[in-house]
């Protein structure tokens, strides 16, 4: 009985929820895809393109 108690106690200690369930995976995947879409829209916007082009031109001018 003592061994069984030790096994049950160890099982309870390790029976923590780790990772995500299927529904949480789905929500996490949708959130990641939405965030990626938002970042794509921001990075491909004309303002960011102009800013990045300016940074690159300035770096090339400083380099020689």
């Amino acid at each position: 009985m003592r061994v069984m108690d030790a096994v049950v106690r160890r099982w309870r200690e390790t029976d923590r929820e780790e990772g995500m369930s299927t529904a949480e995976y789905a929500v996490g995947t949708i959130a990641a895809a939405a965030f990626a879409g938002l970042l794509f829209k921001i990075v491909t916007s004309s303002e960011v393109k102009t800013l990045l082009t300016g940074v690159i031109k300035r770096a090339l001018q400083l380099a020689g």
Side-chain angles (χ1 to χ4, degrees):
M1 194 65 165
R2 183 178 232 173
V3 173
M4 187 60 111
D5 289 339
V7 170
V8 170
R9 192 176 324 114
R10 181 174 288 173
W11 179 77
R12 284 183 181 160
E13 290 172 358
T14 60
D15 188 35
R16 297 186 182 119
E17 289 188 35
E18 295 180 9
M20 295 189 294
S21 68
T22 304
E24 289 168 330
Y25 274 118
V27 171
T29 301
I30 291 170
F35 186 66
L38 178 65
L39 284 178
F40 180 76
K41 285 300 257 184
I42 290 170
V43 170
T44 58
S45 69
S46 61
E47 294 86 5
V48 174
K49 284 182 182 179
T50 303
L51 178 66
L52 289 175
T53 303
V55 168
I56 292 169
K57 284 182 181 179
R58 180 170 170 126
L60 290 174
Q61 288 173 353
L62 291 174

